[in-house]
Amino acid sequence: MCIEPIVNIAVASEVEVGRSIKLNISLDPDTGNIPNLIYRIRDQNIASCDGMNLYGLKEGMSVIEVYKQGSSKPLFVKDFRVYKRKRITRLIFSDDNLLLGTGDSKQIKLDYYPIDADNRSQITWKSSDESIVSVNQTGKLIARSPGKCRIICTAENVSSQCMCSVLPYMEELVFDIDDDGCINLSPMQEYVLSYTCTPEDCIDRKLTITSTDNDVVNVVNETLYAKNKGNAQITIRNESRRISRTLDVVVGRNTQKEKKGGFFKKIFS
């Protein structure tokens, strides 16, 4: 006597619009010969079925019925719902390129749309090189070492990224001046400061230079402009203000003019 196997069918009760779920069909006992089946969706505007998967087409409720070929009585009937999600469709960084100094930390700003997306909690963060910049799952960056890497943010099948560059901070600033540490100038003389910084590619290389007396010596960018005789100090700070130097400037007698003044100039000077 041949016992006809029982056809078991299982399918989830929900499917997303634009996606599919698999129908699981098995036999008990498993003879390996699944009979020809007919699949019917009562509302074909809501979903469709190809015998292997159930496809969500439009939000709503419907019913799937499965028949053995030649039978008018369904061997499987199930209600299901097609739902529409509000996934994140765009991830936008506030900066496409970030520049950090070694040891810096920064909370990166990220916008996403729609703002009421249902997968906000599934946003993940990743660095292409954790040895350069590490990132936690709230988007906080820590610059570990000089170099370049990408910061990647993902929400399911949507992603965005920004480039991140890390440079070292200045460690040393040395000026090319006389051994006594003093700059001697004549009135109306221009003097361009010559210096070296270590490392050369430091992030805070830009200098701010101020004078204690602009009537004696004025400063524009990295050039000193001697004006009147006297003493002044210039203070040099790098951009991060981690390094500061003070130099003495003496604006003395203009020897060239003195030579042109002749005998009476020497007497009454």
Side-chain angles (χ1 to χ4, degrees), residues 67-85:
Y67 297 81
K68 283 186 179 180
Q69 192 161 5
S71 173
S72 61
K73 183 179 179 180
L75 60 86
F76 177 79
V77 178
K78 185 168 184 177
D79 296 337
F80 65 90
R81 180 176 76 94
V82 178
Y83 64 95
K84 188 174 183 178
R85 285 189 53 190

Side-chain angles (χ1 to χ4, degrees), residues 118-265:
D118 60 17
N119 60 339
R120 302 186 300 274
S121 62
Q122 297 180 40
I123 293 175
T124 59
W125 296 85
K126 181 182 177 181
S127 169
S128 64
D129 193 332
E130 291 278 339
S131 68
I132 295 174
V133 178
S134 63
V135 59
N136 67 13
Q137 291 309 303
T138 66
K140 184 178 180 181
L141 310 178
I142 298 179
R144 302 291 183 182
S145 62
K148 292 184 178 182
C149 66
R150 291 175 292 118
I151 303 300
I152 305 161
C153 181
T154 304
E156 294 189 58
N157 61 337
V158 176
S159 65
S160 185
Q161 61 183 341
C162 71
M163 293 301 299
C164 191
S165 300
V166 179
L167 294 177
Y169 278 102
M170 186 183 293
E171 298 175 2
E172 189 175 14
L173 180 62
V174 177
F175 288 90
D176 183 15
I177 58 174
D178 294 337
D179 292 339
D180 60 2
C182 183
I183 301 173
N184 295 282
L185 303 176
S186 300
M188 306 306 294
Q189 182 180 350
E190 297 180 13
Y191 180 88
V192 179
L193 286 170
S194 176
Y195 64 90
T196 57
C197 61
T198 305
E200 290 188 357
D201 63 341
C202 55
I203 191 174
D204 50 350
R205 185 186 180 105
K206 185 178 178 181
L207 302 180
T208 299
I209 307 171
T210 57
S211 171
T212 57
D213 192 336
N214 289 327
D215 287 331
V216 174
V217 60
N218 198 9
V219 183
V220 178
N221 296 325
E222 296 176 6
T223 301
L224 309 184
Y225 293 88
K227 297 174 68 176
N228 300 301
K229 289 189 292 184
N231 297 342
Q233 282 189 332
I234 58 168
T235 300
I236 305 101
R237 293 186 178 89
N238 70 333
E239 191 171 4
S240 66
R241 303 181 74 85
R242 296 183 179 206
I243 292 181
S244 178
R245 299 286 185 268
T246 300
L247 301 176
D248 292 319
V249 180
V250 176
V251 179
R253 180 174 307 187
N254 191 325
T255 56
Q256 291 182 349
K257 285 188 177 181
E258 190 173 85
K259 290 178 181 179
K260 292 180 182 179
F263 176 76
F264 291 103
K265 175 77 173 183

